[in-house]
Amino acid sequence: QITLKESGPTLVKPTQTLTLTCTFSGFSLSTSGVGVGWIRQPPGKALEWLALIYWNDDKRYSPSLKSRLTITKDTSKNQVVLTMTNMDPVDTATYYCAHRRRDRSGFDYWGQGTLVTVSS
Amino acid sequence: EIVLTQSPATLSLSPGERATLSCGASQSVSSSYLAWYQQKPGLAPRLLIYDASSRATGIPDRFSGSGSGTDFTLTISRLEPEDFAVYYCQQYGSSPLFTFGPGTKVDIK
């Protein structure tokens, strides 16, 4: 059974750096073809993909946010960490991590999401 | 940059009716790498369809996907009460690597 769970601060101040951790179980990020991505959703709005890391440490980023994002993995801890610098109120959103297989187009397992509010 | 559009924005139907949701892409979607998700309030999205027409694990067969190139469709053959939700399409492969559409809300008429 695959599960993922996001953790991190619920409130950050403008200009601060956000660090979110995705802790997962039921799969290994050392298995060929497996990836974990981050997707966010501002309140009442659509989904936006942020970043993805694969089993082989291949990392991909949204071009519009690439300069602010870093994704890393700790295979021994079954964790993926996303950092986003220079947070702004427009970054207020629910942040999800999700599992995908490289041979399929979708994210098949999602965490419950964590709401991050950016406010002074 | 590929952009996805979804129509209609809102679809008002009754239980038992057929729902047809459209997703259009500004350029051809690579190898039909298109997925559909269902999202209910306060919950994470749920993968319904991947690679345009393959049902994800545990998804009822009343959900079906079709299309290729720039035009894709999600069909719900007979709406059940639990199907009223927001549906998103998502492409994989073109820049940005993943793009989501704006969503279609299916609500009760």
Side-chain angles (χ1 to χ4, degrees):
Chain A
Q1 179 191 3
I2 289 177
T3 64
L4 304 97
K5 188 172 184 179
E6 307 85 354
S7 59
T10 58
L11 179 66
V12 298
K13 295 185 185 327
T15 74
Q16 286 187 335
T17 294
L18 171 68
T19 299
L20 293 173
T21 300
C22 176
T23 303
F24 56 86
S25 63
F27 68 95
S28 172
L29 205 36
S30 60
T31 299
S32 179
V34 172
V36 172
W38 286 92
I39 302 99
R40 71 178 179 181
Q41 185 173 37
K45 296 188 177 181
L47 300 158
E48 178 185 22
W49 170 70
L50 303 176
L52 175 72
I53 190 165
Y54 284 113
W55 83 101
N56 58 359
D57 211 36
D58 181 13
K59 302 170 185 178
R60 305 297 178 97
Y61 296 100
S62 168
S64 63
L65 293 166
K66 185 175 182 178
S67 63
R68 299 173 53 204
L69 296 173
T70 303
I71 190 169
T72 59
K73 64 180 175 70
D74 186 330
T75 304
S76 64
K77 292 183 178 179
N78 282 351
Q79 291 182 332
V80 171
V81 174
L82 180 76
T83 60
M84 180 180 291
T85 61
N86 195 24
M87 294 292 285
D88 183 272
V90 300
D91 296 314
T92 294
T94 296
Y95 287 75
Y96 297 100
C97 63
H99 166 280
R100 77 173 298 264
R101 290 170 40 173
R102 196 164 201 169
D103 61 346
R104 296 184 177 180
S105 48
F107 292 94
D108 50 3
Y109 296 92
W110 293 62
Q112 64 188 24
T114 185
L115 176 61
V116 178
T117 301
V118 184
S119 175
S120 55
Chain B
E1 176 180 315
I2 191 168
V3 175
L4 299 182
T5 56
Q6 291 187 243
S7 62
T10 303
L11 191 55
S12 296
L13 295 169
S14 300
E17 289 193 296
R18 181 184 186 90
T20 302
L21 288 67
S22 296
C23 176
S26 59
Q27 55 190 271
S28 185
V29 175
S30 308
S31 304
S32 294
Y33 282 150
L34 188 109
W36 289 93
Y37 299 86
Q38 176 193 70
Q39 188 178 33
K40 297 180 180 179
L43 297 180
R46 172 192 181 197
L47 179 66
L48 300 174
I49 302 288
Y50 65 92
D51 298 353
S53 59
S54 297
R55 269 188 300 277
T57 303
I59 301 303
D61 60 7
R62 65 179 181 274
F63 292 92
S64 63
S66 63
S68 63
T70 61
D71 296 296
F72 297 86
T73 301
L74 175 71
T75 302
I76 310 171
S77 58
R78 288 179 56 87
L79 282 164
E80 297 288 340
E82 62 267 28
D83 298 337
F84 292 92
V86 178
Y87 292 83
Y88 293 96
C89 59
Q90 169 243 305
Q91 70 84 31
Y92 160 68
S94 298
S95 180
L97 192 59
F98 299 91
T99 310
F100 290 89
T104 290
K105 183 177 182 180
V106 179
D107 65 14
I108 299 176
K109 187 173 182 180

